[in-house]
Amino acid sequence: MARHRVRGAETRSAERERWTAGLYEIWRRAEVSRRLDVLSGFIAMCVAGDDHARHRLAQLVAGADAALSASPPDLAVASEHLDELVRWADTEWADHPCRPVEARPDEADRQTRGYAKDLRHAALSAGVRDEMGRIELGLEVRFLALCRRPGLDCRTRQDIFYVAGRAAMALDLGHLEAAEREIRRMEQVGSVERRESRCG
């Protein structure tokens, strides 16, 4: 019996490691894709009348896209193409007033999260996406119901927002069990607040 429990724990641990590695790869792909889109758009504007430069840009972007779309993705090659775009922009348009600068960490994470969500959704089956939609709707309904509760103190409201954010991020990444677990936690936060209000 003990051996079965150990094997089960080892299996769950290996599954978590694979899942974490997969999420890390998706996040890195999303970061490269986000920066590639921003910088290539800027360079495209700058080289609009130069056929040779437009051809060079198209080759670099196509190379990066091919590397990101490969199975498995070749992040090293995609990053090399991105680095070439960065060097090009730094050399030619370092002082350009529209030269994109790297977003603040929180904004960069928000943007990358959007890209990661799209990448993750593309890898999911239609059935999983439907289940995700059901959970997402449940999260929204329960979150709004909790937030509209009269007499909600600031600390509890912050806790609800925090846990709801964790649930939303789990959904973005396709981890449905984690999302449902966070939704239950969110409801528990509201239940504790309601019990404390009655006691007061």
Side-chain angles (χ1 to χ4, degrees), residues 83-160:
D83 290 343
E84 179 63 24
L85 287 175
V86 171
R87 286 190 293 271
W88 188 7
D90 287 345
T91 300
E92 299 291 336
W93 306 287
D95 298 325
H96 196 289
C98 295
R99 169 77 161 88
V101 296
E102 184 58 36
R104 289 172 54 87
D106 58 337
E107 177 63 15
D109 279 354
R110 187 188 67 77
Q111 294 172 1
T112 300
R113 179 183 168 196
Y115 278 81
K117 178 180 178 179
D118 291 342
L119 289 171
R120 182 62 178 169
H121 278 208
L124 298 174
S125 67
V128 173
R129 287 197 296 271
D130 289 344
E131 179 69 6
M132 187 181 300
R134 181 191 65 77
I135 296 171
E136 188 172 19
L137 178 61
L139 168 61
E140 183 176 351
V141 169
R142 293 170 192 174
F143 171 74
L144 290 175
L146 286 172
C147 289
R148 290 170 179 159
R149 181 169 295 156
L152 200 65
D153 64 78
C154 182
R155 180 176 178 180
T156 303
R157 187 179 297 275
Q158 288 175 344
D159 289 344
I160 290 171

Side-chain angles (χ1 to χ4, degrees), residues 39-55:
L39 198 54
S40 63
F42 166 72
I43 294 176
M45 175 190 71
C46 293
V47 302
D50 185 335
D51 289 343
H52 176 72
R54 288 171 57 196
H55 180 68

